[in-house]
């Protein structure tokens, strides 16, 4: 199984701070890198995603930075809010038939008020 | 409301007693899949289906079966559950050409004693 490594395992940030979660992948054939957000008792929900033809994608307070040569990507949450407290999963996969998605182990984010 | 519905949400069973977890989506999605979520391991794909009567193994298929007789339904079958199948299970669906934008169900917490 192709791995996706994710760090840190848990993260505590003060309200208004920046949350940064890092991921690294192995398979250079991957061409889609989504982040999912999961609240307790809920299923994961797609938050933001990036393709390797761009180095950065921003949606509101959430930004993905992508480094193709290093095979790394990260999620930045600006002005973190208590409502952002959740588990975040990075994933990597391909748009070709038969290519499975591989998820990272998750990061539990707690934003203190 | 667009949704993926799993039943039951919680299930405690004994080793060897066959069980089925149902999954239904109302978005006319072609692609459906099952994941299990375990602490520190993230989400691992069990089986997936590209369309009716088309199913294939994911990364951890041992001990599971699936069927796809109708487009909207994708049940997960455990013929002889064992304690190592105690986990949180998620069903997900998406359009075949947008498999990366998956919608997840609420999850089924299964305990096998």
């Amino acid at each position: 199984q192709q791995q996706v490594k994710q760090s840190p395992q848990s993260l505590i940030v003060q309200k208004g701070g920046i949350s940064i979660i890092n991921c690294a992948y192995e398979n250079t054939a991957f061409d889609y890198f989504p982040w999912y957000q999961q609240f307790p008792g809920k299923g994961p929900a797609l938050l933001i995603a990036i393709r390797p033809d761009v180095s950065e994608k921003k949606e509101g307070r959430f930004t993905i930075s992508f480094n193709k040569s290093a095979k790394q990507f990260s999620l930045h949450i600006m002005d973190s809010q208590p409502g952002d407290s959740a588990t975040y999963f990075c994933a990597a996969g391909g748009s070709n038939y038969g290519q499975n998605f591989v998820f990272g182990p998750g990061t539990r984010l707690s934003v203190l008020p | 409301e667009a949704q993926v519905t799993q039943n039951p949400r919680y299930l405690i069973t004994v080793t060897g007693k066959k069980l089925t977890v149902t999954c239904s989506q109302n978005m006319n999605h072609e692609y459906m899949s099952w994941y299990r979520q375990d602490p520190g391991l993230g989400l691992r794909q069990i089986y997936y289906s590209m369309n009716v009567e088309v199913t294939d193994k994911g990364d951890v298929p041992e001990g599971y079966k699936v069927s796809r007789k109708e487009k909207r339904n994708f049940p997960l079958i455990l013929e002889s559950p064992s304690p190592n199948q105690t986990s949180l299970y998620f069903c997900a669906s998406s359009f075949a050409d947008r498999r990366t934008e998956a919608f997840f169900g609420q999850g089924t917490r299964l305990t096998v004693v």
Side-chain angles (χ1 to χ4, degrees), chain A residues 43-62:
Chain A
L46 181 63
L47 180 65
I48 186 173
I50 195 168
R51 294 196 181 275
D53 53 349
V54 296
S55 60
E56 186 175 283
K57 182 174 181 179
K58 184 176 181 180
E59 289 184 2
R61 296 183 294 107
F62 299 90

Side-chain angles (χ1 to χ4, degrees), chain B residues 15 36 81-87 112-113:
Chain B
T15 299
R36 61 179 289 173
S82 63
N84 64 11
Q85 293 178 296
T86 293
S87 187
V112 184
V113 298

Side-chain angles (χ1 to χ4, degrees), chain A residues 4-55:
Chain A
V4 173
K5 296 179 181 178
Q6 183 174 347
S7 62
Q9 186 174 3
S10 62
L11 181 61
I12 300 175
V13 174
Q14 292 287 341
K15 178 182 176 182
I18 302 174
S19 303
I20 301 175
I21 305 170
N22 301 298
C23 285
Y25 63 98
E26 298 175 352
N27 190 339
T28 55
F30 289 154
D31 62 359
Y32 191 79
F33 303 89
W35 285 88
Y36 283 81
Q37 181 187 53
Q38 183 182 26
F39 293 106
K42 303 289 187 181
L46 181 63
L47 180 65
I48 186 173
I50 195 168
R51 294 196 181 275
D53 53 349
V54 296
S55 60

Side-chain angles (χ1 to χ4, degrees), chain A residues 32 38 89 96-97 100-101, chain B residues 37 45 50 90 99-100 105:
Chain A
Y32 191 79
Q38 183 182 26
F89 294 96
N96 294 325
Y97 178 87
N100 291 329
F101 267 84
Chain B
Q37 182 178 2
Q45 192 177 53
M50 290 296 288
F90 287 101
R99 290 186 299 114
T100 51

Side-chain angles (χ1 to χ4, degrees), chain A residues 57-110:
Chain A
K57 182 174 181 179
K58 184 176 181 180
E59 289 184 2
R61 296 183 294 107
F62 299 90
T63 300
I64 300 179
S65 297
F66 186 80
N67 185 329
K68 188 175 181 179
S69 61
K71 293 188 287 185
Q72 296 175 346
F73 57 110
S74 60
L75 176 69
H76 296 235
I77 306 174
M78 311 300 288
D79 187 26
S80 298
Q81 300 295 312
D84 297 330
S85 297
T87 299
Y88 293 82
F89 294 96
C90 62
S95 47
N96 294 325
Y97 178 87
Q99 274 193 303
N100 291 329
F101 267 84
V102 182
F103 284 83
T107 296
R108 180 171 292 184
L109 171 65
S110 298

